[in-house]
């Protein structure tokens, strides 16, 4: 799915020549027979519509990519950024590249979009088994040095994590839940207890980069 734009760019370079060879003469014929005044009016209307669209879709940061809040946990990620200085994060697959961008180099991420080019079949199976709360779900926590779990609240693993005594739910909102291993992140738990940990205000920006 993420390679579709690259395919479109490559296909456009190749396809235009074939389209011109196949339909170019028909298009030229239509343009020649089309009355000049309606053609000019059509071009003017298209230009005006483009200008209206540009004005109505004005962005405060037009040269930057805006991270959509309905797809990515901006507040939860901010919580991790501000409160954790190291960790091995098992993260919901859809957010993995986002987590690498925001948390590198202090945190390592498991598992991301490189998939089989970077992870073994065994590792992928363990990961998916955990996310979907399979029979051997805890292998992802026991067999790998995982000390942070950052998942969607609707992932089946979320309910199972809440029942594990050695793990603590430190953040949850409508989209994401963050669990930390108690014996690894004692500083964070202490800061939470003393109310000195940072909590997002909802005003955090979602801009890339």
């Amino acid at each position: 799915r993420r390679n579709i734009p690259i395919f479109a760019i490559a296909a456009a370079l190749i396809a235009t020549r074939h389209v011109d060879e196949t339909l170019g003469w028909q298009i030229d014929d239509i343009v020649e027979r089309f009355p000049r005044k309606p053609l000019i009016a059509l071009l003017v209307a298209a230009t005006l519509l483009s200008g209206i669209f540009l004005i109505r879709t004005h962005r405060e940061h037009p040269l930057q990519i805006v991270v959509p809040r309905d797809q990515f946990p901006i507040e939860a990620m901010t919580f991790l950024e501000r409160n954790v200085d190291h960790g091995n994060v098992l993260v919901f697959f859809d957010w993995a590249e986002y987590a690498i961008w925001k948390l590198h180099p202090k945190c390592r991420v498991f598992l991301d979009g490189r998939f089989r080019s970077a992870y073994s079949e065994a590792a992928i199976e363990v990961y998916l088994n955990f996310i979907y709360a399979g029979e051997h779900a805890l292998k992802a926590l026991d067999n790998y040095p995982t000390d942070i779990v950052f998942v969607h609240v609707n992932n089946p693993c979320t309910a199972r994590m809440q029942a594990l005594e050695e793990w603590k739910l430190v953040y949850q909102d409508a989209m994401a839940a963050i669990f930390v291993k108690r014996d690894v992140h004692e500083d964070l738990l202490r800061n939470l207890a003393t109310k000195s940990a940072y909590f997002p205000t909802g005003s955090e920006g979602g801009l890339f980069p």
Side-chain angles (χ1 to χ4, degrees):
R1 184 174 57 185
R2 63 185 176 181
N3 289 327
I4 289 176
I6 298 175
F7 168 78
I9 293 171
L13 295 173
I14 299 172
T16 50
R17 176 167 56 87
H18 297 287
V19 170
D20 184 63
E21 290 174 354
T22 307
L23 301 174
W25 65 273
Q26 296 179 351
I27 295 174
D28 291 340
D29 186 54
I30 292 172
V31 171
E32 288 178 2
R33 290 188 297 170
F34 203 84
R36 293 299 175 187
K37 289 184 178 180
L39 181 61
I40 294 173
L42 182 63
L43 291 173
V44 170
T47 302
L48 289 174
L49 286 174
S50 298
I52 293 171
F53 177 80
L54 180 63
I55 294 171
R56 294 191 63 181
T57 58
H58 171 71
R59 289 166 46 184
E60 185 178 354
H61 304 280
L63 300 181
Q64 292 178 296
I65 298 172
V66 178
V67 179
R69 289 182 176 274
D70 60 338
Q71 297 179 37
F72 294 92
I74 295 174
E75 283 77 19
M77 189 67 74
T78 301
F79 176 87
L80 273 181
E81 278 189 287
R82 298 288 293 270
N83 294 305
V84 173
D85 58 8
H86 70 281
N88 294 314
V89 187
L90 190 155
V91 61
F92 180 44
F93 186 81
D94 291 9
W95 305 336
E97 281 85 358
Y98 179 48
I100 292 173
W101 162 43
K102 299 293 284 187
L103 301 177
H104 178 80
K106 62 183 181 180
C107 291
R108 294 184 177 183
V109 168
F110 174 57
L111 178 143
D112 63 85
R114 290 171 296 173
F115 213 52
R116 289 183 176 86
S117 62
Y119 299 94
S120 67
E121 289 292 340
I124 294 171
E125 183 179 352
V126 167
Y127 173 84
L128 294 176
N129 203 271
F130 173 82
I131 291 292
Y132 294 106
E135 184 179 356
H136 304 291
L138 297 185
K139 280 187 176 182
L141 308 180
D142 299 334
N143 295 5
Y144 294 84
T146 305
D147 52 74
I148 300 174
V149 171
F150 181 18
V151 288
H152 198 290
V153 291
N154 294 329
N155 289 145
C157 62
T158 304
R160 178 169 290 190
M161 286 298 301
Q162 293 176 343
L164 300 179
E165 182 63 28
E166 64 269 32
W167 289 82
K168 173 70 174 177
L169 175 65
V170 293
Y171 180 92
Q172 183 173 333
D173 57 26
M175 182 181 295
I178 299 174
F179 300 85
V180 299
K181 202 168 186 180
R182 293 179 184 271
D183 61 353
V184 177
H185 294 282
E186 294 177 346
D187 290 344
L188 171 57
L189 298 178
R190 189 179 306 109
N191 291 339
L192 289 172
T194 59
K195 297 184 179 180
S196 59
Y198 176 84
F199 273 88
T201 61
S203 61
E204 289 75 19
L207 295 176
F208 175 85

